[in-house]
Amino acid sequence: MKLQIAKSVYGGAGLAHEPGGKTVLVPFTLPGEMIEAQLLEHKKKSDEASLLQVMSASKDRVKPACSHFGECGGCQYQHAEYPTQMKIKSSILQETLERAGLIALPNIESHLGPQWGYRNRMRLRIEELDDIPRVGYNRRGTNEFLAIHECPIAAPILWRAAQSLLQVAAQTPSAARWLSNAVEAEFFTTGDEKKLQMTIYVRKDQPGLAAFCEHLKQVIPELAGAGTSLIKLTGPQRQVQKPRPLESWGATGLSYRAADEDYWISRGGFFQVNRFLIDELVRIVTEDRNGQLAWDLYAGVGLFSRALAKKFRQVVAVETAGIDLINSFKGPGKHAVEATTVDFLRHAVIQRERPQLIIMDPPRAGVGADVCSFLTRIAAPEIVYVSCDPVTLARDLKMLVDAGYKLQEVHLVDLFPQTFHLETVVVLRK
């Protein structure tokens, strides 16, 4: 069928209308383009189709930089000029917020950095093809293995490390036998690419990590530490249970310099993925904010807490898995709490505690109704909400706005160029 793309939607596809009026989603298209598509699947709200050819291309269409684009499930927007990607994301964010009933929105301020080589973390599958180990990702929309030979959005050292892994296995029979037990490999680097951590996910426990890492370090001297974790692959969907750490070699984490602070990130621990925009994100969230008491909820390793501690007399940082936070966020005016945000806020309501500022950086599921209910009872004068999902963000903001908060600022921070993912910072005040 021939379709004209009306707009781009969250998830990366273009939206068009079939002659009968039903919407159809077609990936790798741009607004205004006339395309030919093949219907793939009927769904309740919209149909899904694949792109056969672009009959009338947008002036914003470009040649993708990666040879795997379209097959690989990682990127969705490499066919669009980068300024166009930002326009698409901004319009999607605006529409998502408005659809939730949020009106009179402030102008969305966009913040961007280099569009390539930005990722400080990379997780790859390892499989043998013709008896030769290869690394790759999932083929788009499936769990099939796609061997790759480049990944332009990853920091160069990460891809060099993946190549080194295969090189060591090819040159050393004992290393090849050891790696044959591996299912996945994850690499994490500092922003300056001078230090590297590696986790190898294996099918079964086996000795030999240290010997393998000594071989690998000769090829990639930045390797500072490594570990193996056991994962169980169950069923065709490759459902992965929580990995169980096994052996360890070298350092157990990395000291990551960002926003004029050093953060200790344990192997496998969460940290913002865009090495170029971390400082800007911290600036947006914390700049020109000061006072007596601030809370940093879903604090992670304390990315925002450290900056706040320079400006507030007391900062309370709350994190469910708070080992790194408790070990590093110490000293006068710094208080780390290992607890869920819901439990912390429930206790705070009982104690009638009220900070001047609350910062929240929840996972993709957002904060939810319980947290919003507690927040409205605590009634802090200012809340800064950092979100990686515009849909759950809009849901939560609507609850806070209905309770009396007003949206003062909306920032789109493009931590994930070439993909549909977008990071948003929203400032709310009473």
Side-chain angles (χ1 to χ4, degrees):
M1 52 186 168
K2 293 178 174 61
L3 299 166
Q4 182 161 28
I5 303 300
K7 63 180 180 180
S8 297
V9 296
Y10 188 61
L15 181 147
H17 295 283
E18 296 179 48
K22 192 173 183 181
T23 59
V24 56
L25 302 179
V26 190
F28 313 123
T29 57
L30 293 173
E33 290 186 330
M34 183 65 72
I35 60 135
E36 187 176 0
Q38 174 69 49
L39 185 66
L40 292 178
E41 186 177 0
H42 287 289
K43 290 193 173 181
K44 189 173 182 180
K45 291 185 177 180
S46 60
D47 291 340
E48 292 186 1
S50 62
L51 177 65
L52 295 179
Q53 66 169 323
V54 179
M55 302 166 68
S56 176
S58 165
K59 62 178 177 56
D60 300 322
R61 179 174 283 274
V62 295
K63 182 181 178 180
C66 179
S67 59
H68 303 297
F69 180 68
E71 284 188 293
C72 173
C75 294
Q76 295 80 34
Y77 285 146
Q78 286 193 28
H79 61 297
E81 284 189 333
Y82 190 45
T84 301
Q85 295 182 31
M86 292 300 294
K87 288 178 185 175
I88 288 171
K89 291 184 180 185
S90 184
S91 65
I92 288 172
L93 177 58
Q94 176 101 17
E95 183 177 334
T96 304
L97 296 176
E98 289 176 347
R99 195 184 301 119
L102 298 163
I103 56 175
L105 293 171
N107 289 332
I108 297 173
E109 298 181 45
S110 294
H111 307 260
L112 58 157
Q115 57 177 307
W116 304 106
Y118 63 86
R119 288 190 64 92
N120 57 28
R121 190 183 300 273
M122 176 189 227
R123 185 162 173 171
L124 295 157
R125 289 175 59 179
I126 303 173
E127 291 202 9
E128 287 191 357
L129 297 178
D130 299 323
D131 297 323
I132 299 173
R134 300 285 300 275
V135 294
Y137 293 126
N138 282 351
R139 193 176 295 275
R140 187 176 69 88
T142 74
N143 289 301
E144 294 176 14
F145 176 71
L146 174 70
I148 64 168
H149 56 78
E150 65 177 334
C151 184
I153 64 173
I157 191 177
L158 301 180
W159 180 245
R160 187 156 56 87
Q163 290 177 305
S164 300
L165 197 73
L166 301 180
Q167 179 184 336
V168 167
Q171 294 174 350
T172 313
S174 61
R177 286 192 298 272
W178 187 87
L179 193 64
S180 66
N181 183 39
V183 178
E184 295 178 356
E186 182 177 81
F187 300 99
F188 176 63
T189 183
T190 51
D192 58 10
E193 300 184 88
K194 290 183 178 179
K195 295 289 184 182
L196 180 76
Q197 273 285 343
M198 176 180 75
T199 303
I200 301 291
Y201 296 90
V202 295
R203 297 179 181 86
K204 60 183 179 181
D205 193 1
Q206 66 173 6
L209 174 67
F212 185 86
C213 289
E214 293 299 337
H215 284 300
L216 189 59
K217 192 171 175 64
Q218 294 175 23
V219 185
I220 186 152
E222 296 90 344
L223 185 66
T228 53
S229 287
L230 182 70
I231 60 174
K232 294 182 179 179
L233 307 178
T234 56
Q237 299 303 310
R238 301 185 79 256
Q239 295 169 343
V240 178
Q241 298 179 1
K242 187 175 182 181
R244 178 165 65 86
L246 300 172
E247 278 189 279
S248 184
W249 172 87
T252 59
L254 292 178
S255 179
Y256 198 113
R257 185 73 177 175
D260 299 322
E261 293 282 344
D262 292 309
Y263 298 89
W264 180 256
I265 319 296
S266 291
R267 187 182 308 122
F270 172 79
F271 198 64
Q272 293 290 353
V273 76
N274 189 313
R275 62 195 181 108
F276 300 127
L277 281 177
I278 294 174
D279 289 17
E280 177 71 356
L281 182 65
V282 174
R283 184 195 68 77
I284 295 166
V285 172
T286 65
E287 191 175 55
D288 298 329
R289 295 185 168 89
N290 54 73
Q292 293 294 312
L293 175 62
W295 293 347
D296 183 10
L297 310 180
Y298 312 92
V301 297
L303 180 62
F304 304 124
S305 306
R306 297 273 194 91
L308 292 173
K310 299 173 183 177
K311 303 175 182 182
F312 283 79
R313 189 171 181 180
Q314 184 179 8
V315 176
V316 179
V318 182
E319 172 58 42
T320 306
I323 295 175
D324 284 347
L325 182 68
I326 289 170
N327 289 338
S328 63
F329 194 62
K330 300 176 179 177
K334 299 176 180 178
H335 183 42
V337 177
E338 188 167 20
T340 66
T341 292
V342 169
D343 287 343
F344 172 80
L345 292 178
R346 183 180 292 112
H347 178 76
V349 167
I350 295 171
Q351 298 298 318
R352 298 182 182 274
E353 297 175 8
R354 187 171 184 260
Q356 290 159 287
L357 171 68
I358 295 176
I359 289 175
M360 310 185 296
D361 185 6
R364 195 168 300 282
V367 301
D370 289 345
V371 168
C372 287
S373 176
F374 287 132
L375 291 172
T376 58
R377 290 169 68 182
I378 292 166
E382 185 173 38
I383 296 175
V384 181
Y385 191 145
V386 184
S387 168
C388 60
D389 188 301
V391 177
T392 58
L393 170 68
R395 176 203 66 199
D396 294 340
L397 290 179
K398 183 63 167 64
M399 288 186 275
L400 293 171
V401 167
D402 287 347
Y405 279 96
K406 291 182 173 57
L407 302 181
Q408 298 294 323
E409 301 172 25
V410 179
H411 300 265
L412 170 56
V413 188
D414 195 29
L415 298 187
F416 312 97
Q418 315 306 327
T419 81
F420 73 86
H421 300 289
L422 56 93
E423 192 89 355
T424 310
V425 179
V426 179
V427 179
L428 305 102
R429 295 193 185 102
K430 276 288 188 182

